[in-house]
Amino acid sequence: MTEAFRREAQASSNHRSSRSDPSLRDHSRLWRVFVLVIAPALFGIIAGFTLKWSATAWSVLQTAGVIGAILGGLDHKRWWSATARGALAGLIAAVVIICVDAAIPGANVKAFGPSYVPIAVIMSAVLHTVGGLVVRRILLRLRRKKLAESVPAQSYPQVSNR
């Protein structure tokens, strides 16, 4: 076995296969409950308070929610599981926002009501899917490219024609 072949085999064994690539299923049940239920509920509580307080804070929080949804999609190897997680997270967050909004008296700085729940569910599902499909594939391609660049090209001995 040549040295170049050994290096290539070592590099391919170091490469994370899709089986060893971490996903939500690889985490503990407590962590899954946290990211699937508690985190969206906490987001909804904070967003519900900002809805009464500041339009800027509401917008910043919604931007953070978009980023969080895309990153949450990275936990999934399949598009349908990312979509389901996004729909659940969007539903939980939107319902909690409406409950907090109803519990706190005063005018809202932005319009948000029960009619926005389907929009929140759909947008969250789409953003999680984007994270699961697009961003995850981009990151995997970058990882493969970096791996390919780290393995030196095979050099073959020069054969003389004499």
Side-chain angles (χ1 to χ4, degrees):
M1 196 154 81
T2 67
E3 183 62 32
F5 182 77
R6 264 192 216 115
R7 275 187 264 151
E8 185 177 340
Q10 177 67 29
S12 65
S13 70
N14 288 340
H15 178 67
R16 296 167 70 165
S17 69
S18 63
R19 184 174 174 212
S20 66
D21 202 15
S23 81
L24 190 62
R25 281 190 154 173
D26 299 330
H27 296 288
S28 70
R29 184 178 303 237
L30 182 63
W31 178 253
R32 286 183 281 178
V33 168
F34 177 78
V35 299
L36 293 173
V37 178
I38 298 171
L42 287 174
F43 177 81
I45 291 168
I46 296 168
F49 281 111
T50 62
L51 187 58
K52 298 287 186 180
W53 173 50
S54 165
T56 304
W58 170 262
S59 298
V60 167
L61 201 57
Q62 296 310 303
T63 303
V66 166
I67 294 168
I70 292 171
L71 293 177
L74 294 176
D75 283 339
H76 300 275
K77 295 178 184 176
R78 306 280 189 260
W79 68 269
W80 50 266
S81 63
T83 304
R85 175 187 178 178
L88 177 66
L91 179 65
I92 291 170
V95 168
V96 170
I97 290 170
I98 290 170
C99 291
V100 170
D101 181 38
I104 300 173
N108 293 344
V109 294
K110 292 278 189 173
F112 193 87
S115 62
Y116 286 94
V117 171
I119 296 168
V121 169
I122 291 168
M123 288 307 297
S124 181
V126 167
L127 290 169
H128 275 82
T129 305
V130 165
L133 286 176
V134 179
V135 177
R136 186 177 181 92
R137 287 189 182 171
I138 289 170
L139 292 175
L140 286 173
R141 283 186 184 152
L142 290 174
R143 189 181 301 151
R144 286 182 187 139
K145 183 178 178 183
K146 184 178 178 183
L147 178 67
E149 291 172 354
S150 68
V151 176
Q154 292 181 355
S155 59
Y156 297 100
Q158 295 291 333
V159 178
S160 174
N161 290 339
R162 294 182 191 180

